[in-house]
């Protein structure tokens, strides 16, 4: 493998890792309270409707 | 047997397990925390209402991402998108807790990523971050697989330019986690 290909692979690996890290950190943030309330509301509605 | 197990899972329970990823996708698209949360709420309401249409055993995350994406592009107009993060909400919402030696590089990366055009940011998020295959991401975005590949390549190239990732600089840009990936890649190639 020549140097240019090796550097290209390194750059791709760097970008891929930073992307994953960025996405993972966002995905692990605590969910906003209004979203969890919404889920509870929807579940309650389903229960009331016998779903 | 496996299909029976899948069929037994209430899809509404599975939906809840994807909320974090759904919100991460929304943040990547909107670049605005408040807007992203509204978008996720709207997506959840739509998905919940249509949960009977979801086919057990298929990819729920792809289904949810597609609903979110369609909602974003149909409901959230260009003018609304252009106000993205004027108040720094996204910056404040980003849970950036970089390690000491990677802090500058990671923040640089986030800034560069946010300057990419919508379609490229979306392509990188779906393929590079969320782990969808090119053909899956292409299907979600309603484009050909080749188009998706092209968007990902252009986005990567743009990031390389924006971050000025010359061969010498690239190693300085790493934190310990990233370095591990790079080193692992090199080891595999040597073997």
């Amino acid at each position: 493998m020549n140097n240019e290909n090796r550097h290209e692979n390194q750059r791709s690996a760097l970008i891929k890792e930073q992307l994953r890290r960025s996405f993972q950190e966002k995905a692990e943030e605590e969910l906003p309270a209004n979203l969890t309330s919404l889920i509870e509301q929807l579940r309650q509605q389903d229960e009331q409707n016998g779903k | 047997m496996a299909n029976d197990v899948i069929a037994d899972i209430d899809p509404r329970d599975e939906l809840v397990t994807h909320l974090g990823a759904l919100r991460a996708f929304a943040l990547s698209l909107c670049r605005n925390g408040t807007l992203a949360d509204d978008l996720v709420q709207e997506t959840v309401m739509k998905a919940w209402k249509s949960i009977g249409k979801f086919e057990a055993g298929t990819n729920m995350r792809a289904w949810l991402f597609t609903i979110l994406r369609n909602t974003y592009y149909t409901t959230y107009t260009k003018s609304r998108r252009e106000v993205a993060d004027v108040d720094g909400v996204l910056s404040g919402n980003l849970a950036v807790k970089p390690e000491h030696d990677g802090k500058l590089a990671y923040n640089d990366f986030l800034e560069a990523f946010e300057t990419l055009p919508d379609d490229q940011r979306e392509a990188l998020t779906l393929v590079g971050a969320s782990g969808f295959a090119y053909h899956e991401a292409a299907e979600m975005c309603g484009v050909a697989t080749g188009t998706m590949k092209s968007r990902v390549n252009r986005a990567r190239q743009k990031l390389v330019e924006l971050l000025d990732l010359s061969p010498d600089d690239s190693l300085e840009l790493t934190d310990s986690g990233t370095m591990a990936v790079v080193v692992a890649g090199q080891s595999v190639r040597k073997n």
Side-chain angles (χ1 to χ4, degrees):
Chain A
M1 179 180 292
N2 65 35
N3 273 352
E4 188 47 42
N5 282 345
R6 191 163 54 86
H7 292 315
E8 184 57 37
N9 286 340
Q10 282 183 353
R11 287 192 288 254
S12 290
L14 282 168
I15 289 171
K16 198 170 183 179
E17 179 55 22
Q18 301 282 36
L19 270 173
R20 281 187 182 162
R21 178 179 171 182
S22 161
F23 189 84
Q24 195 61 32
E25 287 186 349
K26 287 176 193 164
E28 286 172 358
E29 285 180 26
E30 192 174 346
L31 295 173
N34 50 7
L35 182 58
T36 48
S37 308
L38 172 67
I39 297 290
E40 277 175 36
Q41 254 182 356
L42 292 168
R43 283 192 188 284
Q44 280 172 3
Q45 277 176 14
D46 281 358
E47 275 178 30
Q48 283 166 4
N49 294 329
K51 289 184 184 174
Chain B
M1 179 73 178
N3 283 342
D4 291 344
V5 172
I6 290 167
D8 283 345
I9 299 171
D10 186 331
R12 291 169 297 187
D13 290 336
E14 189 188 343
L15 185 153
V16 175
T17 67
H18 296 292
L19 291 178
L22 200 57
R23 189 162 174 271
F25 183 44
L27 280 166
S28 298
L29 279 182
C30 297
R31 296 171 289 177
N32 176 303
T34 308
L35 211 57
D37 286 341
D38 288 348
L39 183 56
V40 172
Q41 282 212 25
E42 205 171 328
T43 302
V44 166
M45 285 193 284
K46 285 182 181 174
W48 203 279
K49 198 175 166 188
S50 312
I51 203 77
K53 293 178 187 169
F54 174 72
E55 292 176 33
T58 60
N59 190 333
M60 181 176 277
R61 183 169 292 194
W63 184 65
L64 291 170
F65 276 32
T66 303
I67 295 173
L68 186 140
R69 183 184 180 279
N70 290 343
T71 304
Y72 175 66
Y73 285 113
T74 55
T75 310
Y76 293 73
T77 62
K78 191 171 186 289
S79 59
R80 283 185 70 178
R81 276 183 273 144
E82 281 174 351
V83 301
D85 209 26
V86 286
D87 50 4
V89 174
L90 176 60
S91 316
N93 283 350
L94 285 172
V96 180
K97 301 178 188 71
E99 293 167 21
H100 60 285
D101 61 337
K103 185 173 182 176
L104 183 61
Y106 185 56
N107 287 339
D108 283 350
F109 171 81
L110 292 176
E111 279 179 24
F113 180 72
E114 293 197 3
T115 65
L116 295 176
D118 282 2
D119 62 338
Q120 293 181 19
R121 214 171 52 252
E122 177 180 70
L124 268 189
T125 301
L126 292 173
V127 175
S130 310
F132 287 108
Y134 283 110
H135 72 274
E136 291 173 320
E139 193 178 334
M140 289 160 70
C141 297
V143 297
T145 302
T147 304
M148 182 54 62
K149 284 182 180 174
S150 165
R151 285 179 184 175
V152 169
N153 285 337
R154 282 206 310 272
R156 281 188 181 140
Q157 195 52 47
K158 185 74 180 168
L159 283 177
V160 167
E161 286 169 21
L162 289 169
L163 293 167
D164 195 20
L165 284 178
S166 67
D168 291 337
D169 292 338
S170 62
L171 292 179
E172 290 172 18
L173 194 69
T174 62
D175 57 18
S176 56
T178 306
M179 221 20 227
V181 172
V182 175
V183 171
Q186 286 171 336
S187 303
V188 168
R189 282 192 292 275
K190 279 177 189 169
N191 293 335

